Amino acid sequence: LVVALGPLSHSSLRLDSQPLKMVAQRKNISELVGQTTNGGKVRSDFSDVPEDFVLPSGDVKKGEKLYKKHCAQCHSIYPDNRISRTGATQLGPTLFNVYGRASGEAEIQNKVLIGGRAEGIVWTAAPLMNYMKNPRQTVQGNIQMNFRGIDDFQTRVDIVHYLKTLDWSNEKLANPPQQSSCSVFPFNAIGRYMSGDSK
């Protein structure tokens, strides 16, 4: 591989390379920050969320859009954990009433655990911010979640503000319409219609 600066050498890519160590020591962070393994980050710098973290102002509407982009593929916003979008596979627990809930408390639909589940965490602003940045580092282990993490601080802030609205005071979500008993379109009805036997 040749780039404008010349060929890349294996020594320039190693984690124990001198320039990477010097930068890490100068900034007082792990030299593994930003490195990835199995699609997830190895280490992240959580200094943007100190122990006395107070959630700054954010945009709930923007948070809803960002939630749809980053979270809705695997998480529902309803109390019954119903699939809420086409193409979604509700693998994770519902995020309805997640703010203030203990981790591992909500039921999940996919019982086959590839990794573990988060334990010993109360989902308030700081843990949610860190979890969205690097879930594996936050729980100190592997988790059943194919999610790389979100580095952008304001994106995570906006999503937390949206998550705080997913509670029992939100009538639209707390009392969703009854789902039909047939969740899959009855394809045999198409056959009857096309054959003229729809009477």
Side-chain angles (χ1 to χ4, degrees):
L1 175 67
V2 178
V3 292
L5 299 174
L8 290 174
S9 68
H10 288 288
S11 64
S12 67
L13 298 175
R14 288 178 23 212
L15 288 177
D16 61 351
S17 68
Q18 198 59 28
L20 188 57
K21 275 188 172 179
M22 288 172 51
V23 169
Q25 289 169 351
R26 204 171 36 238
K27 292 188 175 186
N28 198 21
I29 57 173
S30 167
E31 61 261 20
L32 297 177
V33 168
Q35 301 299 320
T36 62
T37 181
N38 296 330
K41 287 180 253 170
V42 176
R43 302 297 297 165
S44 292
D45 179 13
F46 288 157
S47 64
D48 58 352
V49 181
E51 286 191 32
D52 59 347
F53 180 74
V54 176
L55 187 66
S57 59
D59 186 326
V60 172
K61 287 290 182 195
K62 200 181 271 187
E64 181 178 9
K65 288 178 184 175
L66 292 164
Y67 168 88
K68 287 176 182 176
K69 177 182 178 183
H70 295 287
C71 316
Q73 180 65 30
C74 297
H75 292 278
S76 175
I77 57 172
Y78 295 101
D80 59 0
N81 204 16
R82 67 180 58 187
I83 292 176
S84 52
R85 326 176 1 159
T86 303
T89 53
Q90 251 42 67
L91 298 176
T94 181
L95 295 183
F96 179 83
N97 215 28
V98 69
Y99 197 85
R101 184 172 74 203
S103 58
E105 191 176 278
E107 197 62 32
I108 59 173
Q109 292 186 15
N110 185 10
K111 304 290 187 191
V112 180
L113 292 177
I114 298 164
R117 290 185 71 186
E119 294 178 359
I121 298 172
V122 176
W123 296 120
T124 55
L128 284 167
M129 290 286 290
N130 286 338
Y131 192 81
M132 283 189 283
K133 188 170 191 177
N134 190 332
R136 287 154 190 84
Q137 183 179 344
T138 302
V139 302
Q140 298 296 308
N142 196 16
I143 55 164
Q144 183 182 348
M145 193 164 147
N146 185 18
F147 178 66
R148 178 171 162 65
I150 303 167
D151 287 322
D152 184 67
F153 182 80
Q154 192 60 46
T155 295
R156 289 178 285 136
V157 166
D158 291 339
I159 292 173
V160 171
H161 277 284
Y162 174 65
L163 293 176
K164 290 176 78 172
T165 69
L166 307 180
D167 62 14
W168 295 106
S169 67
N170 187 330
E171 287 291 321
K172 184 179 173 188
L173 298 180
N175 301 304
Q178 190 70 26
Q179 283 188 307
S180 68
S181 60
C182 181
S183 59
V184 179
F185 188 80
F187 287 100
N188 59 344
I190 295 172
R192 283 198 315 265
Y193 176 78
M194 292 182 75
S195 68
D197 190 24
S198 59
K199 297 176 185 172

